[in-house]
Amino acid sequence: MSDPRILVIDADEHRAGNIALILQYLDYSPCVVAQAAELSLRERKPQDFMAVILGRVDDWHKLADFSQWLKRDHYHPPLLVLSETHPQALEQLELDRSACLALDYPCKHKQLGELLRRAGLQQQVSSAATTTVNGGPTGTSQAVRRVRRMIEQVAPFDTTVLITGESGTGKEVAARTLHELSGRRNAPFVAVNCGAIPSELLESELFGHEKGAFTGAITTRKGRFEMADGGTLFLDEIGDMSLPMQVKILRVLQERTYERVGSNHSVQCNVRIVAATHRNLEEKIINGSFREDLFYRLNVFPIEMPPLRSRLEDLPMLIKDIITSLENDARGSVSLTREAVGMLRAYHWPGNVRELHNLVERLSVLHPHATVGVAELPSRYRAGFSGGEPLQEAVAEDVADAAQEENEYIHDALPRTRAMPLAAVEEMQLPPDGVDLRDHIANIETSLIRQALKISDGVVAHAAKLLNTRRTTLVEKLRKYGLQREDAAESETA
């Protein structure tokens, strides 16, 4: 295609024609249809279009095919939505709301130009992702898609990024993906674990040293900054760095120069800094173990990696990816039954994706090229949630969830819960001194969970249906609030 193509779907023929003329004036190639059904989806791919302009849709209830066509690729073009578009049309599409951008009509040159510029940038990033990245955060959950979007947004720029999250959540995977999507992808990606190197050696490791700079320095040595020249330097576990080294890193970020140990010559620093930590840096600032000025230098664009327990719907896909990786590295193979996957979804995963990887690799050693069922899982993964819920019922529900998530691409996992009546909300009175909103909501949630457990005689699966949520989600909330099934009886006697 010589010119970027823009798909225009608008039942208003006059307006669609005007938009097409404006797009042609801006050197874009419009493809105009009155209804989505007019598109020959088998002959086209979502990547054929840079953006989709959505106007009046008369057949919004027949958008399912168009929606599935778009969702073939999570890098689908963004939708520029006119104000006249029927709200139910957007609901029918079931797209992430961040992929829908508001567009005024009559079109304003500045607004339309900026939206199309962003769409073009996204297409470039998407193209790089599909051709260069092998990996990245795995999954289709809302949390993972949010991380992907943030990586795609910041990758083209040299902005400093701080990746936070628990150990084992894949912070280095995110950093490598960010590097592969950036303009520095052909330069080195150099990682250094700041917590694994003694503080007295870290300066030499990062900046290098001259011959004779200290005892044992028998030759001149390059540091990680020099090795990463033109590319990306990943400072993992930067929260474990000593205060004296924090001062030196701050100087590099501010002045973009550094000196080798034992040298007075300043070296220009042409690297992009991506830092990561599982520590709470704001708490470390309060107790005086981390510099506040360095935190603000690093925290320009924060990305938080979600724990595995908050995205259990990604478990089947993660397991498949890990098994594929083991097979590609000739380190064995194994498969898991749906019952086994369902059982793993009831586990709380304190070690996150790293723990899952270790488990699958261990199973591939213990049961090479075999199919592992629930009985073959280590005992800690078979424990589930203690209580009276029948094991078969728990596994059956999780198997159903796993099967559904393996066969569907879930773009919007918003819970379909029954809303509280508006009148009830309006009757709630805010105390004069205010409330702690987080605690207040937690108290409401705890009360509703206890009532559901009481009605369902402590059976979590039945309580989850009353709350219109998944059983695994309810199990996690029971752990979060420290609740047990017997709380139903206690709340009744109280």
Side-chain angles (χ1 to χ4, degrees):
M1 292 182 296
S2 58
D3 299 324
R5 302 196 57 148
I6 311 295
L7 175 61
V8 181
I9 304 176
D10 194 353
D12 187 326
E13 184 178 348
H14 177 72
R15 180 172 58 195
N18 287 340
I19 293 175
L21 288 174
I22 295 172
L23 291 173
Q24 289 172 344
Y25 176 77
L26 295 175
D27 294 327
Y28 293 99
S29 297
C31 174
V32 181
V33 295
Q35 306 296 342
E38 296 179 21
L39 283 171
S40 179
L41 301 181
R42 291 184 180 180
E43 299 176 3
R44 298 182 182 274
K45 297 181 294 184
Q47 300 95 322
D48 291 343
F49 300 102
M50 191 179 80
V52 179
I53 297 179
L54 197 61
R56 196 183 86 215
V57 181
D58 292 338
D59 63 343
W60 56 265
H61 55 290
K62 296 181 180 179
L63 287 175
D65 291 342
F66 179 69
S67 175
Q68 292 303 317
W69 175 75
L70 272 180
K71 292 190 290 187
R72 288 177 186 174
D73 184 1
H74 67 267
Y75 292 111
H76 65 75
L79 269 70
L80 311 184
V81 182
L82 299 178
S83 58
E84 191 177 332
T85 304
H86 200 294
Q88 288 181 290
L90 299 180
E91 294 178 6
Q92 189 73 20
L93 283 171
E94 295 183 342
L95 294 177
D96 193 325
R97 293 301 179 264
S98 65
C100 302
L101 307 173
L103 176 63
D104 296 334
Y105 187 84
C107 295
K108 300 175 182 176
H109 180 277
K110 183 176 181 181
Q111 182 197 33
L112 180 59
E114 175 61 21
L115 290 176
L116 294 178
R117 186 194 69 80
R118 289 168 57 184
L121 180 60
Q122 177 176 315
Q123 189 178 55
Q124 292 175 14
V125 172
S126 302
S127 175
T130 54
T131 56
T132 63
V133 177
N134 180 18
T138 297
T140 58
S141 65
Q142 189 176 12
V144 168
R145 288 186 286 109
R146 186 185 305 115
V147 169
R148 281 206 200 100
R149 287 196 302 271
M150 296 181 76
I151 291 174
E152 293 161 12
Q153 286 175 329
V154 74
F157 308 95
D158 278 343
T159 306
T160 302
V161 176
L162 177 63
I163 305 175
T164 59
E166 299 176 7
S167 294
T169 51
K171 295 187 287 294
E172 184 169 347
V173 171
R176 289 184 180 275
T177 305
L178 195 154
H179 172 73
E180 291 295 334
L181 294 178
S182 73
R184 297 174 177 265
R185 69 179 68 91
N186 295 322
F189 175 90
V190 178
V192 55
N193 190 323
C194 302
I197 302 174
S199 57
E200 61 271 15
L201 299 179
L202 185 57
E203 182 178 3
S204 171
E205 187 69 27
L206 291 176
F207 305 132
H209 60 256
E210 297 289 345
K211 180 180 179 181
F214 51 84
T215 303
I218 58 177
T219 60
T220 298
R221 183 176 184 273
K222 288 183 178 181
R224 300 298 180 96
F225 272 91
E226 196 168 350
M227 293 178 187
D229 186 57
T232 302
L233 179 63
F234 177 52
L235 300 176
D236 197 9
E237 299 303 346
I238 197 166
D240 296 333
M241 183 179 287
S242 66
L243 284 170
M245 271 305 303
Q246 291 177 32
V247 176
K248 292 180 170 63
I249 292 294
L250 178 63
R251 179 175 177 269
V252 175
L253 290 173
Q254 289 175 334
E255 302 179 12
R256 292 293 169 178
T257 61
Y258 64 92
E259 297 171 358
R260 286 180 177 176
V261 177
S263 171
N264 295 323
H265 176 65
S266 294
V267 181
Q268 284 295 122
C269 172
N270 178 25
V271 297
R272 179 188 193 162
I273 301 295
V274 178
T277 182
H278 72 282
R279 308 284 188 188
N280 187 324
L281 295 186
E282 294 183 3
E283 288 185 359
K284 290 178 71 68
I285 291 172
I286 294 173
N287 63 36
S289 58
F290 200 85
R291 293 182 62 95
E292 186 174 10
D293 46 4
L294 176 58
F295 171 73
Y296 290 121
R297 281 284 180 178
L298 294 172
N299 199 42
V300 179
F301 193 94
I303 297 177
E304 183 175 1
M305 298 300 294
L308 180 54
R309 62 181 174 274
S310 71
R311 58 182 189 103
L312 291 172
E313 57 265 46
D314 294 331
L315 199 64
M317 191 177 294
L318 285 165
I319 292 173
K320 283 184 178 180
D321 274 12
I322 294 169
I323 293 173
T324 300
S325 176
L326 292 174
E327 292 173 345
N328 292 341
D329 295 340
R331 295 163 64 188
S333 180
V334 71
S335 60
L336 278 71
T337 65
R338 287 184 172 180
E339 290 79 8
V341 174
M343 179 58 67
L344 293 179
R345 284 166 55 87
Y347 182 64
H348 60 288
W349 297 106
N352 295 295
V353 179
R354 183 182 293 125
E355 182 182 0
L356 176 63
H357 192 289
N358 293 342
L359 170 64
V360 175
E361 185 171 358
R362 186 190 323 160
L363 293 174
S364 71
V365 173
L366 294 174
H367 310 280
H369 301 281
T371 300
V372 173
V374 173
E376 287 75 39
L377 293 175
S379 58
R380 67 181 296 179
Y381 300 99
R382 286 186 278 113
F385 186 82
S386 59
E389 182 180 357
L391 175 63
Q392 295 83 354
E393 182 179 359
V395 172
E397 293 238 346
D398 280 330
V399 169
D401 284 346
Q404 180 183 1
E405 286 151 10
E406 282 180 319
N407 296 325
E408 295 181 2
Y409 186 88
I410 303 174
H411 254 259
D412 197 353
L414 293 174
R416 296 180 293 275
T417 54
R418 291 182 290 272
M420 181 180 292
L422 181 60
V425 176
E426 292 176 343
E427 289 175 3
M428 297 174 63
Q429 296 295 320
L430 181 68
D433 297 333
V435 296
D436 186 315
L437 185 59
R438 181 179 299 177
D439 289 346
H440 186 66
I441 292 175
N443 290 336
I444 294 174
E445 194 169 35
T446 303
S447 174
L448 292 174
I449 290 173
R450 281 178 169 157
Q451 292 178 52
L453 285 171
K454 181 175 68 174
I455 294 172
S456 61
D457 294 326
V459 179
V460 173
H462 295 167
K465 289 179 181 178
L466 290 173
L467 296 170
N468 208 359
T469 189
R470 291 186 177 180
R471 191 194 67 83
T472 49
T473 301
L474 181 55
V475 168
E476 182 58 36
K477 289 186 180 295
L478 290 172
R479 291 195 185 100
K480 175 182 176 181
Y481 296 125
L483 297 174
Q484 302 289 335
R485 291 173 179 78
E486 53 267 24
D487 285 333
E490 292 177 6
S491 63
E492 185 175 14
T493 56

